[in-house]
Amino acid sequence: MKQQETPLFTALRDYVASKPLQFHIPGHKRGSGMDPEFRDFIGLNALSIDLINIPPLDDLHNPHGIIKEAQILAAEAFLADRTFFSVQGTSGAIQAMILSVINPGDTIIVPRNIHRAVVTGLILSGARPVFLNPIIDERLGIAHGVTPESVKQALFKHPEAKGVLVINPTYYGFATDLVKIVEICHSRNVPVLVDEAHGIHIRFHDGLPLSAMQAGADLAATSVHKLGGSLVQSSVLNQKGCLVSPERVKTVISLLTTTSTSYILMASLDAARRFLAVKGQRNLERTMTLAENARLAINTLPGLYSPGTDLIDEKNVFSYDPTKLLIHVKDLGHTGHEIDNWLRSTYNIEVELSDLYNILCVISIGDNEETVGTLVKALMVLSRESEAWIKVPGFPSQLPHTPELCLSPREAFYSKGDAVPLEKALGKITKEMVMVYPPGIPIVMPGEIINQSVLEYIKDAKSYGLPIQGPEDTSLETIKIVAL
Ligand SMILES: Cc1ncc(COP(=O)(O)O)c(C=O)c1O
């Protein structure tokens, strides 16, 4: 019964209904003092709960009332011992997770295909990363998770490691054997930190990969906003056990969090938790069926391929989330980016991401037969008509070889540097991160040596119009390197 309740959201509504006379920020005062066009568009309900941490409404920095109750219910729903709300996305939760276990100079084991938020965590904490190579899928041109065996070997070589961070499931929905990884790490008392940005829903259906908390991980940064129905930027940091001090986690998350914590975001976390706990299983069943039917239909279309269970045997992938509809388009003779643009301009369809070989479509609880049917129909036309388009003259390079790390990301970030033309950066240590966003995985990160395959990959990504981010010089004519 408790999971039916929303202590934070309900208290906010009650507070607003009591019509307090407000002499505190935010100065728009329930929308009265703001641009009228924006107010009318957003609506007075939303504006009325755009509040801050006044005494009746508790305080995220030291929860003891309605926020505490909402976090306790969230922990119960997510099978955590403790849940901390994040109003700074999973990026904020990831940074808190790293700073909770790492002191400057400590070793942390991380996969090389980390999200940029992890790189920020490495810079802030002063960690020395030891990189694990994820399983590379040459055909799809993407990286999957890391294997338990690679974690075991890394821990053997680096017994000084203070933590192991894994991404599970990946952006593309593929999961590793997390239970085994946790077993290996815990046998050495090393905590497991999980970037679970794409896995808030998985705990709510038995047909989905195990969640970090189910697998016994110590900390998991999880985007409720991505696939769990809360508002953008709202996430949770879940914790299990006492291998990491809960007090330290609480202190670190507070250090990194704004003092003006958004109550709209926190209320949306409270409501999303209820929706997942009460209706998640049934809604996910329907969503998974929708996605699997779409996958079946897509796999009958010439030139298109949507991977699923077939990868489990082939690629050492342990399990996968069918709601991530990855569509491989290389055999059409076009880049994922071109197909992304075509879907937008021809059908007003917006995909989650595109890369050189693929597009990724997220099928969620918010979809139905009609929305997914429209996507599949568009793909039918694509498969039929793209034959006639001018094809990409030869395909761009594969994922770059992992660059060698020779300074910690923090040392590189704080060292003196010069901007040099990209071509001249070969063999130099970069001060800047370069990535295609999304997915936001660094092609090269501060402290790494720029190798030939990195240069070629950046050049290809530029010429194929992929969205490159990171360097101060957004044209990427130049890049900042460490001055030695
Ligand atoms: C793997 C991964 N980790 C972390 C993040 C960061 O999440 P957020 O956007 O909630 O900060 C993302 C975002 O796309 C991601 O893909």
Side-chain angles (χ1 to χ4, degrees):
M1 273 312 284
K2 275 267 178 200
Q3 289 296 330
Q4 301 270 6
E5 293 171 18
T6 49
L8 175 52
F9 177 42
T10 306
L12 279 181
R13 293 186 65 165
D14 292 346
Y15 178 74
V16 167
S18 74
K19 298 199 168 64
L21 185 58
Q22 294 171 315
F23 289 102
H24 59 76
I25 57 172
H28 67 68
K29 304 210 175 178
R30 297 192 298 271
S32 308
M34 67 170 16
D35 182 77
E37 187 185 342
F38 182 74
R39 175 185 59 221
D40 294 346
F41 184 76
I42 287 284
L44 290 181
N45 277 344
L47 293 170
S48 73
I49 61 163
D50 185 27
L51 291 162
I52 46 121
N53 50 339
I54 45 176
L57 300 183
D58 206 358
D59 183 355
L60 184 61
H61 290 271
N62 187 21
H64 52 277
I66 52 179
I67 295 178
K68 184 173 177 189
E69 284 174 45
Q71 291 191 149
I72 289 172
L73 283 178
E76 188 183 292
F78 302 137
L79 305 177
D81 290 343
R82 280 161 291 276
T83 291
F84 303 89
F85 287 172
S86 166
V87 291
Q88 285 166 202
T90 298
S91 299
I94 286 175
Q95 287 144 23
M97 198 161 67
I98 296 174
L99 268 78
S100 295
V101 298
I102 294 293
N103 289 329
D106 282 350
T107 300
I108 186 169
I109 296 172
V110 294
R112 180 54 185 71
N113 57 329
I114 41 178
H115 182 264
R116 55 177 292 177
V118 180
V119 181
T120 311
L122 298 178
I123 293 172
L124 292 178
S125 66
R128 298 204 161 268
V130 167
F131 290 120
L132 295 175
N133 282 322
I135 302 164
I136 297 295
D137 192 319
E138 299 286 348
R139 175 177 182 194
L140 297 175
I142 63 171
H144 296 306
V146 292
T147 60
E149 193 48 42
S150 66
V151 172
K152 195 172 177 178
Q153 282 172 14
L155 278 173
F156 183 72
K157 273 201 206 150
H158 295 277
E160 77 285 5
K162 292 290 190 313
V164 169
L165 185 145
V166 295
I167 308 156
N168 203 63
T170 63
Y171 208 144
Y172 301 99
F174 296 102
T176 185
D177 187 350
L178 196 52
V179 171
K180 207 170 250 168
I181 290 178
V182 169
E183 255 172 45
I184 292 166
C185 295
H186 283 182
S187 71
R188 292 171 178 264
N189 278 336
V190 174
V192 180
L193 284 46
V194 183
D195 173 350
E196 202 181 41
H198 300 281
I200 185 64
H201 56 308
I202 55 180
R203 168 260 175 281
F204 297 97
H205 195 288
D206 290 347
L208 292 170
L210 284 188
S211 73
M213 291 296 107
Q214 285 172 307
D218 301 271
L219 289 168
T222 313
S223 300
V224 187
H225 71 90
K226 288 198 202 303
L227 300 163
S230 67
L231 296 182
V232 168
Q233 218 172 301
S234 59
S235 293
V236 288
L237 177 54
N238 284 326
Q239 185 180 21
K240 218 182 184 68
C242 289
L243 211 46
V244 183
S245 149
E247 288 73 33
R248 164 103 177 208
V249 179
K250 187 177 167 211
T251 304
V252 168
I253 201 163
S254 179
L255 267 178
L256 295 175
T257 298
T258 169
T259 43
S260 304
T261 50
S262 161
Y263 275 73
I264 301 189
L265 294 188
M266 290 192 285
S268 85
L269 281 173
D270 198 23
R273 182 270 311 150
R274 169 172 69 183
F275 195 53
L276 284 166
V278 177
K279 304 237 166 83
Q281 155 93 21
R282 195 160 11 114
N283 283 331
L284 282 163
E285 179 74 34
R286 186 182 57 80
T287 310
M288 287 157 70
T289 307
L290 271 177
E292 285 295 29
N293 288 343
R295 183 173 278 102
L296 282 176
I298 291 164
N299 282 333
T300 65
L301 301 175
L304 295 178
Y305 162 57
S306 181
T309 38
D310 48 323
L311 285 198
I312 291 178
D313 298 329
E314 264 177 44
K315 285 287 163 203
N316 229 344
V317 164
F318 191 68
S319 55
Y320 86 112
D321 169 5
T323 67
K324 290 299 191 81
L325 201 56
L326 175 64
I327 305 161
H328 184 62
V329 298
K330 187 181 176 195
D331 297 342
L332 292 177
H334 299 280
T335 64
H337 193 54
E338 280 181 287
I339 304 304
D340 177 345
N341 287 335
W342 180 83
L343 284 168
R344 181 178 301 112
S345 58
T346 318
Y347 284 94
N348 201 14
I349 287 175
E350 203 66 57
V351 302
E352 167 65 16
L353 71 77
S354 57
D355 58 29
L356 291 175
Y357 300 161
N358 312 287
I359 57 171
L360 178 68
C361 296
V362 168
I363 309 297
S364 83
I365 292 173
D367 279 299
N368 55 40
E369 300 274 353
E370 193 185 335
T371 58
V372 178
T374 304
L375 172 67
V376 172
K377 273 191 211 136
L379 294 173
M380 281 174 178
V381 175
L382 172 73
S383 163
R384 225 177 24 237
E385 293 184 0
S386 67
E387 239 332 88
W389 305 353
I390 298 164
K391 306 220 171 194
V392 174
F395 254 88
S397 52
Q398 287 283 351
L399 295 171
H401 301 304
T402 308
E404 187 189 336
L405 183 85
C406 75
L407 288 180
S408 80
R410 185 196 185 100
E411 285 162 343
F413 182 80
Y414 283 112
S415 58
K416 288 213 166 70
D418 306 309
V420 298
L422 193 59
E423 294 298 338
K424 295 246 164 73
L426 181 65
K428 303 285 192 303
I429 305 168
T430 177
K431 259 179 78 62
E432 298 189 295
M433 176 157 54
V434 184
M435 77 209 125
V436 174
Y437 195 94
I441 296 164
I443 301 166
V444 70
M445 73 173 84
E448 287 181 335
I449 298 178
I450 298 174
N451 62 32
Q452 188 62 38
S453 72
V454 162
L455 280 185
E456 273 163 26
Y457 194 84
I458 295 174
K459 262 198 302 192
D460 282 342
K462 265 171 77 173
S463 70
Y464 286 93
L466 296 187
I468 298 191
Q469 285 187 15
E472 276 175 25
D473 174 4
T474 49
S475 71
L476 248 170
E477 296 298 319
T478 62
I479 185 166
K480 276 195 162 167
I481 53 155
V482 172
L484 292 173

